[in-house]
Amino acid sequence: MEIMAKILSIFLAFLTLADYSEGLSRRKIYTLYSAKKTWNEAKAICESKQSQLLKIKSAKHYEEISYLDRMEWGNRVMNEFASSSGMWSPLHKPFWNTTWTYQDCEPYSLTVPGTSVKKCSTYQPNSIISSAPCDEEHIFICERFEGDCWFQPFYEMTTKWFEAATSVPINDPNIKAEDCALECRNLYDINTGTECWGFTFYPAVPLCTLHVNNTPTASSDYLYPENRDYGELKSTFYVRRCFEGVIDTNMYDSFYDKNAEPDTSCTETPYVFNNTVYDVCYCPVQEQPPIPEPATSEEKAKQFIKKLTIGTSSTSAAERKLTSAEDNRPSVIGMGYVGILVLTAVFGSLVLLDLNVIFARIKDFCSSSTSVQTIG
């Protein structure tokens, strides 16, 4: 079992390395930690949760965080910015030079403003990066990948919302909403970065229309369908949800590293997300699916082993001991009839040979019963 667990762990690690890219969107979990920590503490807490410090590399990432902060986090991030504070960035200087790298050791080619003695950095409004002493305390966000995107339904929607986007109709008389979800999940242009961010399904036709867009902020822009027009056709619009937000208010007092230098050397294998990708999640309900707790590769391997383990009483060999295999060949059926005739003849002849004895016993029994009644 231990060998199998190690093999599965290696396989899961391979999936993690193979599936991660900056292209096709996957379900990302952002966790906001409201307790202020030093850079080393924040980095250690993220890694303990199978994640890493938030990496903002595009307008898409910034818009997702802005949406969560505005809609779910009560503007905690913007309030920190307003108080002239910042939020920890994964960029730091792991060596005694001017090279800046992310927490996962990816190099950073741009200039980080600030003095050369500051080895860590913070995010400021509009995702501007500024250098900061590592022993300062700031809030921080950890991010990790967990599974695939899901589709949130909004009813009675029209495609008017997507006039500026490209619509791709799928004419299939047997198509279902879950089929549309798979088509949307697989529609991605690696050259242009164009993705499908939703689809409209007309069950009465049936008709599926995919809505694609290469706008960097499409993932967060498409989360406001309630402000759009309703249509005449009975339809449902499914928007693709590829990021979720969580708030962690724990203090994590066990993490205590006030070192002014970043606790990292960037000489080991880059840290990667726990981003094993599963089948597309098609949810025909409005509620958001639960956000899973982060799991290590070893824990996922144990879960796979548990699912693959079959009880001894459920095996086919055990079941065959209690049942007879059916054989409908004519020759076998004929042999069965012959066997029945032979057994009938054998037992029938035995009965015939003892027939006179049986009749005599019955006659004696009847005579004795008559005599008893006469006496009475």
Side-chain angles (χ1 to χ4, degrees), residues 25-262:
S25 296
R26 301 184 184 91
R27 190 184 183 202
K28 184 184 289 185
I29 311 298
Y30 294 109
T31 303
L32 171 64
Y33 292 83
S34 56
K36 295 184 178 182
K37 297 293 180 181
T38 65
W39 190 91
N40 287 329
E41 289 176 315
K43 166 183 170 292
I45 291 171
C46 286
E47 291 181 343
S48 71
K49 300 296 183 179
Q50 300 299 306
S51 56
Q52 71 173 17
L53 284 169
L54 169 66
K55 183 191 293 186
I56 299 178
K57 297 185 65 178
S58 67
K60 170 184 175 181
H61 301 148
Y62 181 76
E63 287 296 326
E64 290 174 353
I65 295 300
S66 298
Y67 173 86
L68 292 173
D69 189 45
R70 182 170 60 255
M71 303 298 293
E72 301 179 14
W73 293 345
N75 293 312
R76 284 178 169 86
V77 176
M78 292 306 299
N79 290 338
E80 284 296 314
F81 291 158
S83 64
S84 300
S85 184
M87 179 176 64
W88 281 126
S89 157
L91 282 173
H92 64 288
K93 291 182 181 180
F95 308 110
W96 292 98
N97 55 28
T98 58
T99 301
W100 288 88
T101 66
Y102 288 99
Q103 181 185 345
D104 59 2
C105 302
E106 179 185 353
Y108 185 72
S109 58
L110 301 179
T111 302
V112 176
T115 61
S116 59
V117 296
K118 299 177 181 178
K119 303 296 183 179
C120 295
S121 66
T122 58
Y123 289 120
Q124 301 297 324
N126 297 318
S127 69
I128 296 175
I129 298 175
S130 177
S131 62
C134 299
D135 56 355
E136 287 186 352
E137 293 186 340
H138 298 281
I139 64 171
F140 57 100
I141 295 175
C142 300
E143 62 180 1
R144 78 177 193 272
F145 285 101
E146 189 70 51
D148 209 341
C149 304
W150 63 288
F151 290 88
Q152 181 176 359
F154 294 90
Y155 302 102
E156 303 290 342
M157 300 305 299
T158 68
T159 57
K160 182 179 179 180
W161 178 16
F162 295 95
E163 289 178 351
T166 301
S167 296
V168 180
I170 299 179
N171 295 306
D172 183 349
N174 300 316
I175 198 165
K176 300 178 181 178
E178 51 265 39
D179 300 326
C180 291
L182 289 173
E183 292 287 345
C184 185
R185 164 64 176 80
N186 296 330
L187 180 59
Y188 174 70
D189 190 332
I190 193 173
N191 296 317
T192 63
T194 300
E195 293 186 62
C196 174
W197 285 107
F199 65 90
T200 304
F201 182 67
Y202 304 85
V205 180
L207 174 66
C208 171
T209 303
L210 308 182
H211 307 296
V212 299
N213 201 322
N214 61 357
T215 304
T217 59
S219 59
S220 55
D221 289 343
Y222 282 20
L223 294 179
Y224 300 95
E226 64 273 15
N227 298 327
R228 306 296 173 170
D229 294 334
Y230 286 85
E232 298 178 358
L233 286 174
K234 298 295 182 180
S235 63
T236 303
F237 171 72
Y238 291 85
V239 65
R240 192 173 177 200
R241 289 295 305 267
C242 293
F243 63 95
E244 315 292 340
V246 184
I247 296 181
D248 192 324
T249 58
N250 294 324
M251 296 305 297
Y252 294 98
D253 293 331
S254 59
F255 293 87
Y256 190 81
D257 188 345
K258 303 296 184 181
N259 197 333
E261 297 292 332

